Amino acid sequence: MKKTIKTKRIKIGNIYIGGGEPVRIQSMTKTDTRDWRATYKQINSLTAIGCEIIRVAVPDMEAAKSISKIKSKIKIPLVADIHFDWRLAVESINRGADKIRINPGNIGSKDNIKNIVAAAKRKRIPIRIGVNAGSLKILKESDNWLHMSSQKRARHMVDELLEYIKIFEDLNFCDLVVSLKANDVNTTILANRFYLRYRNYPVHLGVTEAGAAFSGVIKTSMAFGILLSEGIGDTIRVSLTANPCEEIRAGWEIMKSLGLRNRGIEIVSCPTCGRCETDLIKIVNSLESKLNSIAELQNCSPIKVAVMGCAVNGPGEARDADIGIAGGKECGLLFRKGEIVKKIPQRKYCEEILKEIKNVQKKI
């Protein structure tokens, strides 16, 4: 699958987004930014499993001043998330932020925005304009939002975003990234589609306040799957009420499932049925847990692992994978690149697969 909508190419730190670049996966720290040690440690943990851009909340001046310390300890671009106080944005820029994220609707006067733009121009960094459905001006003017159709909501979001974009363009600032997020799938999809009729600034995708890990991943995957398959989206964040590592893992799985990015271990496993004579659910859960605990395997070259429970689809799927097991009653056949290697007992499935992954990884 190839992206079909080409947006403007924008530099963020040491990488680019838009303009045909790979869709970048990002997250946001859940530490107190003022605690710069805890923050950079969390960022480096996320980097190890594939985070490519990180955003930090900047609620006050102490947090803004921590950015320089955090930046000195990390390797990926850092985005400062600012609300309400333009001075926090300027301080964050001066302290080394690679990008600023603001909602112009709560920054105040155009003079405040002008001050942010002047600082961003000096440091040559981009600004993301974020419009969330929950913070639109229309919410203050209308009681009908809850009863409004997704199409009308999306239209209001885009209209507000275009107003904000014009403010920046009038200031001759066009190093912009945009985001249009709602907490429902349909509004998010429609808003992003509508926007690209008018501008080509790169798009950051997200379903805001998506929820806990299980429901949030499903909701986000529905929106991202549709938009990314249409070529819409230059960066993504899976916003979960969960450990941020889950956001990165989910983001990569979405990318892999769409064929847009590929790396790490892909597990193919059967859902099990009455023919299965192996506790496959326990085995696959254990294998996935062990793989997630090995950071270097999150960023390794693509390796496909098939773990199958019986003889119906097992041998075929196992042969089609880099490493595969076709299970039986007490033991299974281990495949490597389509060839049977040996017979192994069930209790050693995880152990043998991990050994094979390390061997394959060395040869790639």
Side-chain angles (χ1 to χ4, degrees):
M1 181 183 297
K2 294 183 178 179
K3 295 179 81 241
T4 56
I5 298 176
K6 195 167 184 177
T7 52
K8 182 178 179 179
R9 191 168 181 255
I10 298 286
K11 191 173 190 290
I12 303 174
N14 57 0
I15 67 172
Y16 288 87
I17 66 167
E21 292 288 329
V23 178
R24 304 293 185 179
I25 296 172
Q26 60 179 279
S27 184
M28 187 171 184
T29 56
K30 305 202 177 184
T31 54
D32 184 336
T33 308
R34 292 167 294 196
D35 185 349
W36 62 273
R37 290 182 178 87
T39 301
Y40 88 72
K41 287 176 182 177
Q42 185 170 87
I43 293 170
N44 287 337
S45 295
L46 294 168
T47 304
I49 62 170
C51 183
E52 298 173 298
I53 301 171
I54 192 66
R55 182 158 47 112
V56 299
V58 182
D60 58 27
M61 196 58 72
E62 184 182 352
K65 290 178 179 178
S66 294
I67 284 176
S68 53
K69 294 177 181 177
I70 296 166
K71 274 280 296 176
S72 70
K73 300 287 187 179
I74 67 173
K75 296 179 180 179
I76 60 175
L78 185 146
V79 181
D81 189 275
I82 314 295
H83 292 277
F84 307 116
D85 191 342
W86 64 271
R87 291 166 295 188
L88 299 179
V90 172
E91 184 68 25
S92 297
I93 293 169
N94 291 336
R95 293 282 177 165
D98 296 300
K99 185 174 76 170
I100 296 295
R101 185 271 187 185
I102 62 171
N103 181 341
N106 65 33
I107 288 294
S109 69
K110 289 184 180 180
D111 282 341
N112 294 346
I113 295 174
K114 189 175 181 179
N115 289 329
I116 296 172
V117 166
K121 281 183 176 180
R122 282 197 303 272
K123 295 291 185 178
R124 297 183 179 180
I125 69 165
I127 295 173
R128 170 155 73 92
I129 306 173
V131 172
N132 287 356
S135 59
L136 288 180
K137 288 185 292 186
I138 192 174
L139 294 179
K140 301 172 185 177
E141 303 165 359
S142 171
D143 296 325
N144 297 321
W145 181 258
L146 289 175
H147 307 291
M148 196 177 288
S149 69
S150 293
Q151 190 162 8
K152 285 186 177 179
R153 290 184 183 189
R155 182 73 262 172
H156 282 296
M157 290 173 67
V158 173
D159 286 345
E160 193 159 309
L161 176 63
L162 293 174
E163 286 181 29
Y164 295 149
I165 288 174
K166 189 175 186 307
I167 294 171
F168 287 88
E169 290 177 338
D170 286 347
L171 293 170
N172 196 30
F173 188 87
C174 298
D175 284 334
L176 297 173
V177 180
V178 303
S179 62
L180 291 146
K181 301 182 182 181
N183 59 21
D184 71 279
V185 171
N186 289 333
T187 302
T188 300
I189 292 169
L190 290 170
N192 282 279
R193 282 175 176 165
F194 289 162
Y195 155 74
L196 283 164
R197 297 177 184 175
Y198 301 95
R199 295 291 194 280
N200 74 333
Y201 298 115
V203 175
H204 169 67
L205 293 183
V207 176
T208 190
E209 298 109 20
F214 178 75
S215 58
V217 167
I218 291 174
K219 186 186 289 188
T220 302
S221 298
M222 292 298 293
F224 287 7
I226 291 169
L227 288 169
L228 290 168
S229 69
E230 295 175 2
I232 299 171
D234 299 287
T235 74
I236 64 168
R237 181 199 171 192
V238 182
S239 301
L240 302 176
T241 310
N243 187 305
C245 290
E246 296 304 313
E247 299 185 354
I248 300 303
R249 292 189 182 107
W252 275 103
E253 288 302 315
I254 291 169
M255 290 291 101
K256 288 191 284 187
S257 70
L258 292 168
L260 292 172
R261 304 280 302 271
N262 201 6
R263 44 125 257 188
I265 313 299
E266 177 189 2
I267 297 178
V268 176
S269 60
C270 72
T272 79
C273 66
R275 288 186 295 269
C276 187
E277 297 180 285
T278 306
D279 190 351
L280 205 67
I281 296 172
K282 181 180 178 181
I283 290 168
V284 171
N285 285 339
S286 175
L287 178 62
E288 191 172 68
S289 177
K290 289 176 181 178
L291 290 173
N292 285 341
S293 70
I294 305 172
E296 60 266 27
L297 293 182
Q298 311 303 307
N299 281 316
C300 71
S301 297
I303 300 173
K304 186 176 181 180
V305 177
V307 188
M308 308 301 291
C310 76
V312 175
N313 293 316
E317 292 287 357
R319 284 193 178 94
D320 191 44
D322 297 298
I323 302 160
I325 285 181
K329 187 172 183 180
E330 294 179 353
C331 61
L333 295 176
L334 176 67
F335 289 78
R336 185 192 302 139
K337 298 290 185 180
E339 301 293 331
I340 296 174
V341 177
K342 60 182 175 180
K343 187 181 288 187
I344 57 173
Q346 288 183 19
R347 69 180 186 279
K348 290 194 173 182
Y349 281 6
C350 286
E351 178 185 335
E352 292 292 334
I353 289 172
L354 287 169
K355 283 182 185 177
E356 288 295 321
I357 287 172
K358 290 176 182 177
N359 288 334
V360 170
Q361 187 187 6
K362 288 175 185 176
K363 293 175 183 177
I364 291 176

mmCIF file of all heavy atoms in Angstrom, residues 74-115:
data_model
loop_
_atom_site.group_PDB
_atom_site.id
_atom_site.type_symbol
_atom_site.label_atom_id
_atom_site.label_comp_id
_atom_site.label_asym_id
_atom_site.label_seq_id
_atom_site.Cartn_x
_atom_site.Cartn_y
_atom_site.Cartn_z
ATOM 1 N N ILE A 74 18.286 12.739 25.114
ATOM 2 C CA ILE A 74 17.476 11.922 24.200
ATOM 3 C C ILE A 74 17.972 12.058 22.768
ATOM 4 O O ILE A 74 18.756 12.962 22.456
ATOM 5 C CB ILE A 74 15.975 12.296 24.291
ATOM 6 C CG1 ILE A 74 15.716 13.713 23.763
ATOM 7 C CG2 ILE A 74 15.459 12.139 25.718
ATOM 8 C CD1 ILE A 74 14.253 14.083 23.668
ATOM 9 N N LYS A 75 17.484 11.171 21.894
ATOM 10 C CA LYS A 75 17.944 11.146 20.508
ATOM 11 C C LYS A 75 16.845 11.423 19.487
ATOM 12 O O LYS A 75 17.119 11.472 18.293
ATOM 13 C CB LYS A 75 18.573 9.779 20.210
ATOM 14 C CG LYS A 75 19.816 9.496 21.026
ATOM 15 C CD LYS A 75 20.382 8.132 20.702
ATOM 16 C CE LYS A 75 21.632 7.840 21.522
ATOM 17 N NZ LYS A 75 22.180 6.483 21.234
ATOM 18 N N ILE A 76 15.599 11.560 19.927
ATOM 19 C CA ILE A 76 14.502 11.771 18.981
ATOM 20 C C ILE A 76 13.951 13.191 19.137
ATOM 21 O O ILE A 76 14.141 13.831 20.177
ATOM 22 C CB ILE A 76 13.378 10.727 19.168
ATOM 23 C CG1 ILE A 76 12.787 10.792 20.586
ATOM 24 C CG2 ILE A 76 13.890 9.334 18.850
ATOM 25 C CD1 ILE A 76 11.595 9.868 20.787
ATOM 26 N N PRO A 77 13.250 13.703 18.124
ATOM 27 C CA PRO A 77 12.694 15.056 18.210
ATOM 28 C C PRO A 77 11.708 15.213 19.359
ATOM 29 O O PRO A 77 10.906 14.317 19.636
ATOM 30 C CB PRO A 77 11.987 15.228 16.860
ATOM 31 C CG PRO A 77 12.668 14.271 15.948
ATOM 32 C CD PRO A 77 13.044 13.098 16.800
ATOM 33 N N LEU A 78 11.788 16.377 19.998
ATOM 34 C CA LEU A 78 10.935 16.678 21.149
ATOM 35 C C LEU A 78 9.962 17.792 20.806
ATOM 36 O O LEU A 78 10.364 18.845 20.296
ATOM 37 C CB LEU A 78 11.796 17.063 22.350
ATOM 38 C CG LEU A 78 11.055 17.300 23.663
ATOM 39 C CD1 LEU A 78 11.924 16.850 24.842
ATOM 40 C CD2 LEU A 78 10.677 18.770 23.848
ATOM 41 N N VAL A 79 8.691 17.552 21.086
ATOM 42 C CA VAL A 79 7.621 18.520 20.828
ATOM 43 C C VAL A 79 7.093 19.027 22.172
ATOM 44 O O VAL A 79 6.775 18.237 23.066
ATOM 45 C CB VAL A 79 6.469 17.872 20.037
ATOM 46 C CG1 VAL A 79 5.374 18.904 19.746
ATOM 47 C CG2 VAL A 79 6.986 17.240 18.751
ATOM 48 N N ALA A 80 7.008 20.340 22.302
ATOM 49 C CA ALA A 80 6.470 20.944 23.528
ATOM 50 C C ALA A 80 4.996 21.263 23.333
ATOM 51 O O ALA A 80 4.621 21.936 22.376
ATOM 52 C CB ALA A 80 7.246 22.209 23.877
ATOM 53 N N ASP A 81 4.163 20.771 24.225
ATOM 54 C CA ASP A 81 2.712 20.929 24.140
ATOM 55 C C ASP A 81 2.285 22.085 25.040
ATOM 56 O O ASP A 81 2.407 22.008 26.271
ATOM 57 C CB ASP A 81 2.027 19.629 24.585
ATOM 58 C CG ASP A 81 0.549 19.639 24.308
ATOM 59 O OD1 ASP A 81 -0.217 20.166 25.151
ATOM 60 O OD2 ASP A 81 0.137 19.110 23.270
ATOM 61 N N ILE A 82 1.792 23.139 24.408
ATOM 62 C CA ILE A 82 1.507 24.389 25.131
ATOM 63 C C ILE A 82 0.025 24.745 25.057
ATOM 64 O O ILE A 82 -0.585 24.674 23.990
ATOM 65 C CB ILE A 82 2.294 25.583 24.520
ATOM 66 C CG1 ILE A 82 3.757 25.213 24.267
ATOM 67 C CG2 ILE A 82 2.158 26.826 25.384
ATOM 68 C CD1 ILE A 82 4.572 24.907 25.468
ATOM 69 N N HIS A 83 -0.513 25.166 26.182
ATOM 70 C CA HIS A 83 -1.871 25.716 26.221
ATOM 71 C C HIS A 83 -1.860 26.999 27.055
ATOM 72 O O HIS A 83 -1.122 27.110 28.040
ATOM 73 C CB HIS A 83 -2.858 24.720 26.820
ATOM 74 C CG HIS A 83 -3.089 23.517 25.956
ATOM 75 N ND1 HIS A 83 -3.981 23.514 24.906
ATOM 76 C CD2 HIS A 83 -2.515 22.292 25.965
ATOM 77 C CE1 HIS A 83 -3.967 22.326 24.324
ATOM 78 N NE2 HIS A 83 -3.075 21.568 24.945
ATOM 79 N N PHE A 84 -2.658 27.955 26.619
ATOM 80 C CA PHE A 84 -3.003 29.155 27.389
ATOM 81 C C PHE A 84 -1.919 30.240 27.450
ATOM 82 O O PHE A 84 -2.224 31.417 27.289
ATOM 83 C CB PHE A 84 -3.436 28.790 28.821
ATOM 84 C CG PHE A 84 -4.519 27.758 28.870
ATOM 85 C CD1 PHE A 84 -4.287 26.523 29.440
ATOM 86 C CD2 PHE A 84 -5.765 28.003 28.298
ATOM 87 C CE1 PHE A 84 -5.279 25.546 29.468
ATOM 88 C CE2 PHE A 84 -6.762 27.045 28.313
ATOM 89 C CZ PHE A 84 -6.514 25.805 28.901
ATOM 90 N N ASP A 85 -0.660 29.889 27.689
ATOM 91 C CA ASP A 85 0.365 30.907 27.951
ATOM 92 C C ASP A 85 1.425 30.906 26.847
ATOM 93 O O ASP A 85 2.250 29.993 26.765
ATOM 94 C CB ASP A 85 1.011 30.632 29.312
ATOM 95 C CG ASP A 85 1.899 31.778 29.786
ATOM 96 O OD1 ASP A 85 2.295 32.620 28.938
ATOM 97 O OD2 ASP A 85 2.214 31.826 30.989
ATOM 98 N N TRP A 86 1.426 31.944 26.018
ATOM 99 C CA TRP A 86 2.361 32.027 24.902
ATOM 100 C C TRP A 86 3.811 32.067 25.354
ATOM 101 O O TRP A 86 4.722 31.619 24.651
ATOM 102 C CB TRP A 86 2.069 33.267 24.048
ATOM 103 C CG TRP A 86 2.276 34.575 24.768
ATOM 104 C CD1 TRP A 86 1.370 35.267 25.512
ATOM 105 C CD2 TRP A 86 3.495 35.344 24.812
ATOM 106 N NE1 TRP A 86 1.918 36.415 26.029
ATOM 107 C CE2 TRP A 86 3.220 36.487 25.610
ATOM 108 C CE3 TRP A 86 4.763 35.191 24.275
ATOM 109 C CZ2 TRP A 86 4.176 37.465 25.876
ATOM 110 C CZ3 TRP A 86 5.732 36.164 24.536
ATOM 111 C CH2 TRP A 86 5.429 37.277 25.324
ATOM 112 N N ARG A 87 4.044 32.574 26.568
ATOM 113 C CA ARG A 87 5.415 32.676 27.077
ATOM 114 C C ARG A 87 6.038 31.297 27.299
ATOM 115 O O ARG A 87 7.256 31.130 27.163
ATOM 116 C CB ARG A 87 5.425 33.476 28.378
ATOM 117 C CG ARG A 87 5.107 34.961 28.167
ATOM 118 C CD ARG A 87 4.795 35.665 29.446
ATOM 119 N NE ARG A 87 3.565 35.135 30.059
ATOM 120 C CZ ARG A 87 2.964 35.664 31.123
ATOM 121 N NH1 ARG A 87 3.495 36.725 31.703
ATOM 122 N NH2 ARG A 87 1.861 35.133 31.600
ATOM 123 N N LEU A 88 5.209 30.314 27.596
ATOM 124 C CA LEU A 88 5.724 28.947 27.748
ATOM 125 C C LEU A 88 6.221 28.406 26.411
ATOM 126 O O LEU A 88 7.198 27.659 26.360
ATOM 127 C CB LEU A 88 4.635 28.036 28.318
ATOM 128 C CG LEU A 88 4.091 28.402 29.704
ATOM 129 C CD1 LEU A 88 3.004 27.416 30.110
ATOM 130 C CD2 LEU A 88 5.208 28.432 30.730
ATOM 131 N N ALA A 89 5.529 28.784 25.342
ATOM 132 C CA ALA A 89 5.946 28.362 24.006
ATOM 133 C C ALA A 89 7.290 28.983 23.646
ATOM 134 O O ALA A 89 8.196 28.299 23.149
ATOM 135 C CB ALA A 89 4.889 28.734 22.976
ATOM 136 N N VAL A 90 7.443 30.260 23.886
ATOM 137 C CA VAL A 90 8.690 30.950 23.560
ATOM 138 C C VAL A 90 9.843 30.374 24.380
ATOM 139 O O VAL A 90 10.936 30.125 23.858
ATOM 140 C CB VAL A 90 8.550 32.468 23.794
ATOM 141 C CG1 VAL A 90 9.898 33.170 23.655
ATOM 142 C CG2 VAL A 90 7.537 33.064 22.814
ATOM 143 N N GLU A 91 9.609 30.145 25.662
ATOM 144 C CA GLU A 91 10.656 29.573 26.507
ATOM 145 C C GLU A 91 11.034 28.167 26.049
ATOM 146 O O GLU A 91 12.221 27.806 26.008
ATOM 147 C CB GLU A 91 10.189 29.533 27.971
ATOM 148 C CG GLU A 91 11.236 29.045 28.956
ATOM 149 C CD GLU A 91 12.416 29.994 29.119
ATOM 150 O OE1 GLU A 91 12.244 31.215 28.877
ATOM 151 O OE2 GLU A 91 13.517 29.520 29.483
ATOM 152 N N SER A 92 10.029 27.370 25.674
ATOM 153 C CA SER A 92 10.293 26.008 25.197
ATOM 154 C C SER A 92 11.122 26.030 23.917
ATOM 155 O O SER A 92 12.034 25.216 23.739
ATOM 156 C CB SER A 92 8.969 25.269 24.948
ATOM 157 O OG SER A 92 8.241 25.120 26.145
ATOM 158 N N ILE A 93 10.806 26.959 23.037
ATOM 159 C CA ILE A 93 11.581 27.105 21.800
ATOM 160 C C ILE A 93 13.027 27.477 22.129
ATOM 161 O O ILE A 93 13.975 26.882 21.604
ATOM 162 C CB ILE A 93 10.941 28.159 20.884
ATOM 163 C CG1 ILE A 93 9.586 27.672 20.367
ATOM 164 C CG2 ILE A 93 11.873 28.510 19.722
ATOM 165 C CD1 ILE A 93 8.759 28.735 19.682
ATOM 166 N N ASN A 94 13.187 28.431 23.012
ATOM 167 C CA ASN A 94 14.537 28.871 23.377
ATOM 168 C C ASN A 94 15.325 27.781 24.093
ATOM 169 O O ASN A 94 16.565 27.781 24.060
ATOM 170 C CB ASN A 94 14.461 30.125 24.252
ATOM 171 C CG ASN A 94 13.969 31.341 23.485
ATOM 172 O OD1 ASN A 94 14.087 31.402 22.259
ATOM 173 N ND2 ASN A 94 13.392 32.308 24.185
ATOM 174 N N ARG A 95 14.620 26.866 24.730
ATOM 175 C CA ARG A 95 15.276 25.769 25.453
ATOM 176 C C ARG A 95 15.547 24.553 24.572
ATOM 177 O O ARG A 95 16.062 23.547 25.048
ATOM 178 C CB ARG A 95 14.410 25.360 26.644
ATOM 179 C CG ARG A 95 14.290 26.414 27.730
ATOM 180 C CD ARG A 95 15.529 26.466 28.605
ATOM 181 N NE ARG A 95 15.433 27.543 29.597
ATOM 182 C CZ ARG A 95 16.232 27.645 30.660
ATOM 183 N NH1 ARG A 95 17.172 26.730 30.846
ATOM 184 N NH2 ARG A 95 16.111 28.653 31.509
ATOM 185 N N GLY A 96 15.178 24.630 23.293
ATOM 186 C CA GLY A 96 15.587 23.578 22.371
ATOM 187 C C GLY A 96 14.507 22.658 21.850
ATOM 188 O O GLY A 96 14.814 21.646 21.203
ATOM 189 N N ALA A 97 13.229 22.979 22.073
ATOM 190 C CA ALA A 97 12.157 22.145 21.515
ATOM 191 C C ALA A 97 12.274 22.105 19.994
ATOM 192 O O ALA A 97 12.596 23.104 19.353
ATOM 193 C CB ALA A 97 10.787 22.679 21.922
ATOM 194 N N ASP A 98 12.014 20.931 19.420
ATOM 195 C CA ASP A 98 12.112 20.765 17.962
ATOM 196 C C ASP A 98 10.819 21.131 17.249
ATOM 197 O O ASP A 98 10.820 21.293 16.024
ATOM 198 C CB ASP A 98 12.455 19.309 17.629
ATOM 199 C CG ASP A 98 13.819 18.921 18.169
ATOM 200 O OD1 ASP A 98 14.807 19.549 17.763
ATOM 201 O OD2 ASP A 98 13.893 18.004 19.003
ATOM 202 N N LYS A 99 9.746 21.240 17.998
ATOM 203 C CA LYS A 99 8.458 21.634 17.438
ATOM 204 C C LYS A 99 7.578 22.081 18.601
ATOM 205 O O LYS A 99 7.745 21.617 19.732
ATOM 206 C CB LYS A 99 7.807 20.465 16.688
ATOM 207 C CG LYS A 99 6.497 20.835 15.975
ATOM 208 C CD LYS A 99 5.958 19.685 15.111
ATOM 209 C CE LYS A 99 5.310 18.607 15.938
ATOM 210 N NZ LYS A 99 4.571 17.621 15.101
ATOM 211 N N ILE A 100 6.634 22.948 18.307
ATOM 212 C CA ILE A 100 5.665 23.396 19.310
ATOM 213 C C ILE A 100 4.290 22.957 18.874
ATOM 214 O O ILE A 100 3.942 23.042 17.695
ATOM 215 C CB ILE A 100 5.685 24.944 19.436
ATOM 216 C CG1 ILE A 100 7.042 25.418 19.939
ATOM 217 C CG2 ILE A 100 4.591 25.436 20.375
ATOM 218 C CD1 ILE A 100 7.380 24.967 21.324
ATOM 219 N N ARG A 101 3.508 22.490 19.818
ATOM 220 C CA ARG A 101 2.106 22.181 19.530
ATOM 221 C C ARG A 101 1.253 23.157 20.325
ATOM 222 O O ARG A 101 1.379 23.249 21.554
ATOM 223 C CB ARG A 101 1.771 20.745 19.930
ATOM 224 C CG ARG A 101 0.352 20.306 19.549
ATOM 225 C CD ARG A 101 -0.667 20.614 20.604
ATOM 226 N NE ARG A 101 -1.970 20.049 20.283
ATOM 227 C CZ ARG A 101 -3.064 20.248 20.999
ATOM 228 N NH1 ARG A 101 -3.027 21.039 22.055
ATOM 229 N NH2 ARG A 101 -4.203 19.702 20.648
ATOM 230 N N ILE A 102 0.395 23.910 19.620
ATOM 231 C CA ILE A 102 -0.511 24.839 20.297
ATOM 232 C C ILE A 102 -1.912 24.714 19.710
ATOM 233 O O ILE A 102 -2.095 24.252 18.583
ATOM 234 C CB ILE A 102 -0.050 26.318 20.179
ATOM 235 C CG1 ILE A 102 -0.023 26.772 18.716
ATOM 236 C CG2 ILE A 102 1.285 26.524 20.855
ATOM 237 C CD1 ILE A 102 0.218 28.257 18.542
ATOM 238 N N ASN A 103 -2.883 25.119 20.491
ATOM 239 C CA ASN A 103 -4.243 25.347 20.001
ATOM 240 C C ASN A 103 -4.430 26.860 20.023
ATOM 241 O O ASN A 103 -4.591 27.440 21.102
ATOM 242 C CB ASN A 103 -5.270 24.654 20.899
ATOM 243 C CG ASN A 103 -6.698 24.857 20.415
ATOM 244 O OD1 ASN A 103 -6.983 25.773 19.644
ATOM 245 N ND2 ASN A 103 -7.605 24.011 20.866
ATOM 246 N N PRO A 104 -4.372 27.516 18.861
ATOM 247 C CA PRO A 104 -4.444 28.981 18.846
ATOM 248 C C PRO A 104 -5.678 29.535 19.550
ATOM 249 O O PRO A 104 -5.659 30.681 20.021
ATOM 250 C CB PRO A 104 -4.462 29.308 17.349
ATOM 251 C CG PRO A 104 -3.755 28.158 16.712
ATOM 252 C CD PRO A 104 -4.186 26.960 17.519
ATOM 253 N N GLY A 105 -6.721 28.709 19.652
ATOM 254 C CA GLY A 105 -7.949 29.178 20.281
ATOM 255 C C GLY A 105 -7.803 29.483 21.748
ATOM 256 O O GLY A 105 -8.605 30.246 22.315
ATOM 257 N N ASN A 106 -6.798 28.895 22.410
ATOM 258 C CA ASN A 106 -6.652 29.198 23.843
ATOM 259 C C ASN A 106 -5.354 29.936 24.168
ATOM 260 O O ASN A 106 -4.991 30.085 25.334
ATOM 261 C CB ASN A 106 -6.784 27.923 24.691
ATOM 262 C CG ASN A 106 -5.684 26.911 24.457
ATOM 263 O OD1 ASN A 106 -4.555 27.263 24.175
ATOM 264 N ND2 ASN A 106 -6.020 25.639 24.602
ATOM 265 N N ILE A 107 -4.674 30.407 23.123
ATOM 266 C CA ILE A 107 -3.420 31.152 23.335
ATOM 267 C C ILE A 107 -3.680 32.637 23.558
ATOM 268 O O ILE A 107 -2.867 33.352 24.132
ATOM 269 C CB ILE A 107 -2.462 30.950 22.133
ATOM 270 C CG1 ILE A 107 -1.898 29.539 22.167
ATOM 271 C CG2 ILE A 107 -1.334 31.960 22.115
ATOM 272 C CD1 ILE A 107 -1.000 29.234 23.348
ATOM 273 N N GLY A 108 -4.847 33.108 23.137
ATOM 274 C CA GLY A 108 -5.176 34.510 23.363
ATOM 275 C C GLY A 108 -5.097 35.331 22.100
ATOM 276 O O GLY A 108 -5.503 34.879 21.026
ATOM 277 N N SER A 109 -4.560 36.514 22.204
ATOM 278 C CA SER A 109 -4.577 37.467 21.094
ATOM 279 C C SER A 109 -3.636 37.045 19.963
ATOM 280 O O SER A 109 -2.753 36.202 20.129
ATOM 281 C CB SER A 109 -4.149 38.857 21.596
ATOM 282 O OG SER A 109 -2.774 38.830 21.932
ATOM 283 N N LYS A 110 -3.828 37.678 18.809
ATOM 284 C CA LYS A 110 -2.947 37.430 17.671
ATOM 285 C C LYS A 110 -1.525 37.893 17.966
ATOM 286 O O LYS A 110 -0.557 37.348 17.416
ATOM 287 C CB LYS A 110 -3.495 38.126 16.419
ATOM 288 C CG LYS A 110 -4.755 37.479 15.873
ATOM 289 C CD LYS A 110 -5.208 38.128 14.584
ATOM 290 C CE LYS A 110 -6.476 37.468 14.058
ATOM 291 N NZ LYS A 110 -6.955 38.086 12.802
ATOM 292 N N ASP A 111 -1.384 38.878 18.838
ATOM 293 C CA ASP A 111 -0.040 39.315 19.226
ATOM 294 C C ASP A 111 0.698 38.191 19.943
ATOM 295 O O ASP A 111 1.917 38.038 19.783
ATOM 296 C CB ASP A 111 -0.117 40.544 20.128
ATOM 297 C CG ASP A 111 -0.396 41.828 19.350
ATOM 298 O OD1 ASP A 111 -0.160 41.818 18.119
ATOM 299 O OD2 ASP A 111 -0.839 42.807 19.952
ATOM 300 N N ASN A 112 -0.016 37.414 20.739
ATOM 301 C CA ASN A 112 0.609 36.278 21.423
ATOM 302 C C ASN A 112 1.126 35.255 20.414
ATOM 303 O O ASN A 112 2.238 34.731 20.541
ATOM 304 C CB ASN A 112 -0.380 35.613 22.374
ATOM 305 C CG ASN A 112 -0.773 36.505 23.540
ATOM 306 O OD1 ASN A 112 -0.122 37.523 23.799
ATOM 307 N ND2 ASN A 112 -1.821 36.133 24.241
ATOM 308 N N ILE A 113 0.301 34.986 19.409
ATOM 309 C CA ILE A 113 0.705 34.053 18.358
ATOM 310 C C ILE A 113 1.897 34.623 17.591
ATOM 311 O O ILE A 113 2.839 33.897 17.240
ATOM 312 C CB ILE A 113 -0.472 33.760 17.407
ATOM 313 C CG1 ILE A 113 -1.592 33.036 18.170
ATOM 314 C CG2 ILE A 113 -0.010 32.939 16.207
ATOM 315 C CD1 ILE A 113 -2.853 32.831 17.372
ATOM 316 N N LYS A 114 1.867 35.931 17.352
ATOM 317 C CA LYS A 114 2.970 36.593 16.641
ATOM 318 C C LYS A 114 4.285 36.402 17.382
ATOM 319 O O LYS A 114 5.334 36.174 16.772
ATOM 320 C CB LYS A 114 2.651 38.078 16.485
ATOM 321 C CG LYS A 114 3.602 38.832 15.577
ATOM 322 C CD LYS A 114 3.122 40.271 15.381
ATOM 323 C CE LYS A 114 4.055 41.031 14.445
ATOM 324 N NZ LYS A 114 3.587 42.426 14.237
ATOM 325 N N ASN A 115 4.256 36.473 18.700
ATOM 326 C CA ASN A 115 5.464 36.280 19.499
ATOM 327 C C ASN A 115 5.994 34.852 19.371
ATOM 328 O O ASN A 115 7.211 34.625 19.298
ATOM 329 C CB ASN A 115 5.188 36.596 20.971
ATOM 330 C CG ASN A 115 4.977 38.086 21.219
ATOM 331 O OD1 ASN A 115 5.553 38.921 20.527
ATOM 332 N ND2 ASN A 115 4.155 38.414 22.202
#
